[in-house]
Amino acid sequence: QSTWGEYLRLANMEPSLQHIIAQQSFRWIFVGGKGGVGKTTCSASLAVQLSQSRESVLILSTDPAHNLSDAFSQKFTSQPTLVNGFTNLFAMEIDPVPEIDETMLDTGNRTTMLEMMSAIPGIDEAMSFVELMKQVQSMRFSVIVFDTAPTGHTLRLLSLPNTLDKTLAKVMSFSDRFSSLFQQAQQVGAMMGMSNELGGVNSDDVIAKLTSTKRLIEQILVQFRDPEICTFVCVCIPEFLSLYETERLVQELTKQDIDTHNIIINQVLVPEPGCESRLLKARIHMQKKYLDQFDLLYGEDFHIIRLPLLEKEVRGVNALKSFSKMLIDPTILEQGQHWDILPRE
């Protein structure tokens, strides 16, 4: 029966996130997975470790059910707030789909432009994501950690730039035809005394805005697909549904050319010496089956980090600082030092 120590010796990939901490080129780090697996605790712990080697770190929650405030025991808002006990770690909780900034459509008659833009399927959500990324890009942080919503929402969020890029490309491919129809509509409107209905909007304005937006989206896609700048850390627990969803997440991220080579397996049960609980033994046996499957599927190409289920919740800055050490030092779990890793209340 393999032990954790044997796993460490046999693993082809280092079972820690030290390589992420050391890679100074990373600007975007997404942390995501199935609901209820501990994404916020893991992303907050990663941000804590990054703060020790980066000039400035922002952890940003895009989950509508924000948990960052609970994890740090500090209230956060939609503006970057310095985390208590740090000089360079900031946190914020935002709506992942804010309203479109209408100033980007300010080309005469704003209402007409919005109506025309909204005619493109899915553009409201996609344009809102672009606005979110514009806001994030304007912030001067060394690295930004995204504490994301559950898998389905996250995949949709990450696919929006690509979706919008394809949509705008298709719309712009008909720009000449669109321009001709638009001019004809203006001429007909003028003949019928309706010259003001289009409010001074012309096809060139529309195409110019679409071109500008498409260029911004292309920049975002380039960064998302650059493994030197962006990576995705998957979080899961050793159970069937979580294993299945992690596999789906990895496949979708690969399709979108987003780097993912790190999996955190959270809430791993570790028996205390002399424990005779039948329930605990059964659960450990069940978890081992899925831990072995994770190792079989991802052991050669992924950094697999195991984090134990502890007696207490990981809440507050001191608890997160202590817990985060296990992301970079797997021997803490191997040597059984995790039992006393959280500060006493």
Side-chain angles (χ1 to χ4, degrees), residues 17-31 41-60 72 86-90 141-147 228-229 231 233 262 264 320-321 323-325 327-328:
L17 295 185
Q18 180 58 48
H19 63 287
I20 289 183
I21 309 299
Q23 187 164 330
Q24 297 288 314
S25 64
F26 276 137
R27 176 148 170 75
W28 320 103
I29 301 175
F30 291 87
V31 180
T41 300
C42 292
S43 59
S45 297
L46 178 57
V48 166
Q49 285 296 320
L50 285 166
S51 70
Q52 298 180 25
S53 62
R54 294 297 195 95
E55 183 178 350
S56 59
V57 179
L58 173 68
I59 178 167
L60 183 155
F72 282 100
F86 294 88
T87 59
N88 64 337
L89 175 58
F90 297 79
F141 291 98
S142 303
V143 60
I144 298 176
V145 179
F146 290 81
D147 175 34
E228 296 296 316
I229 296 176
T231 192
V233 179
N262 304 278
I264 297 175
L320 286 168
K321 284 182 176 180
F323 187 78
S324 70
K325 295 175 183 177
L327 290 177
I328 59 174

Side-chain angles (χ1 to χ4, degrees), residues 5-15 295 299-300 302 304:
E6 289 172 349
Y7 168 79
L8 290 177
R9 289 188 290 273
L10 294 173
N12 293 322
M13 300 286 279
E14 180 189 21
D295 190 28
E300 294 185 359
F302 281 71
I304 301 178

Side-chain angles (χ1 to χ4, degrees), residues 55-336:
E55 183 178 350
S56 59
V57 179
L58 173 68
I59 178 167
L60 183 155
S61 172
T62 61
D63 188 344
H66 300 300
N67 293 310
L68 275 184
S69 294
D70 296 326
F72 282 100
S73 297
Q74 178 182 346
K75 179 62 179 175
F76 299 122
T77 66
S78 59
Q79 297 299 319
T81 302
L82 183 65
V83 178
N84 294 333
F86 294 88
T87 59
N88 64 337
L89 175 58
F90 297 79
M92 61 186 293
E93 298 176 330
I94 61 173
D95 182 351
V97 187
E99 292 185 1
I100 298 175
D101 180 5
E102 295 183 8
T103 58
M104 70 182 295
L105 304 176
D106 191 9
T107 58
N109 188 317
R110 191 174 299 171
T111 301
T112 303
M113 284 293 294
L114 284 170
E115 290 176 351
M116 295 175 63
M117 294 287 282
S118 63
I120 302 174
I123 197 169
D124 286 344
E125 189 176 15
M127 292 288 284
S128 295
F129 180 77
V130 171
E131 283 302 298
L132 167 61
M133 294 308 299
K134 283 174 61 179
Q135 178 186 359
V136 170
Q137 284 185 313
S138 67
M139 300 174 183
R140 300 302 178 211
F141 291 98
S142 303
V143 60
I144 298 176
V145 179
F146 290 81
D147 175 34
T148 68
T151 306
H153 298 286
T154 299
L155 289 175
R156 177 164 177 76
L157 200 66
L158 291 174
S159 68
L160 287 176
N162 191 44
T163 300
L164 185 55
D165 183 54
K166 291 179 179 178
T167 301
L168 292 183
K170 185 172 294 186
V171 170
M172 292 174 64
S173 69
F174 295 103
S175 59
D176 292 339
R177 186 183 305 175
F178 172 76
S179 177
S180 175
L181 291 173
F182 198 94
Q183 291 173 2
Q184 291 178 27
Q186 284 183 315
Q187 293 172 1
V188 172
M191 293 173 59
M192 299 178 64
M194 300 169 57
S195 58
N196 293 327
E197 289 298 313
L198 293 176
V201 179
N202 59 64
S203 60
D204 292 338
D205 291 329
V206 177
I207 299 303
K209 285 299 177 183
L210 291 176
T211 302
S212 175
T213 301
K214 189 173 185 298
R215 190 176 299 117
L216 174 61
I217 293 168
E218 289 170 347
Q219 293 173 1
I220 294 173
L221 283 173
V222 167
Q223 293 189 36
F224 276 11
R225 292 168 175 169
D226 187 344
E228 296 296 316
I229 296 176
C230 178
T231 192
F232 196 106
V233 179
C234 303
V235 182
C236 59
I237 57 177
E239 294 182 5
F240 171 76
L241 290 178
S242 188
L243 171 65
Y244 175 79
E245 193 150 323
T246 300
E247 174 66 10
R248 183 169 70 94
L249 177 59
V250 169
Q251 290 179 358
E252 288 298 321
L253 291 171
T254 302
K255 286 181 183 178
Q256 295 182 34
D257 294 324
I258 296 176
D259 177 75
T260 176
H261 285 94
N262 304 278
I263 295 176
I264 297 175
I265 307 178
N266 196 23
Q267 302 177 21
V268 175
L269 289 169
V270 181
E272 291 184 275
C275 177
E276 296 299 328
S277 168
R278 189 173 71 175
L279 174 61
L280 182 59
K281 287 183 176 180
R283 297 292 295 183
I284 290 174
H285 180 74
M286 179 204 72
Q287 284 195 352
K288 184 183 182 304
K289 177 175 66 174
Y290 295 115
L291 289 169
D292 289 344
Q293 289 187 31
F294 272 110
D295 190 28
L296 181 64
L297 287 169
Y298 305 109
E300 294 185 359
D301 304 308
F302 281 71
H303 299 268
I304 301 178
I305 299 87
R306 300 187 187 187
L307 298 178
L309 180 65
L310 301 177
E311 299 177 291
K312 298 180 292 185
E313 293 179 302
V314 183
R315 289 191 61 192
V317 170
N318 291 333
L320 286 168
K321 284 182 176 180
S322 299
F323 187 78
S324 70
K325 295 175 183 177
M326 290 190 287
L327 290 177
I328 59 174
D329 185 4
T331 62
I332 293 175
L333 183 58
E334 177 191 359
Q335 297 171 2

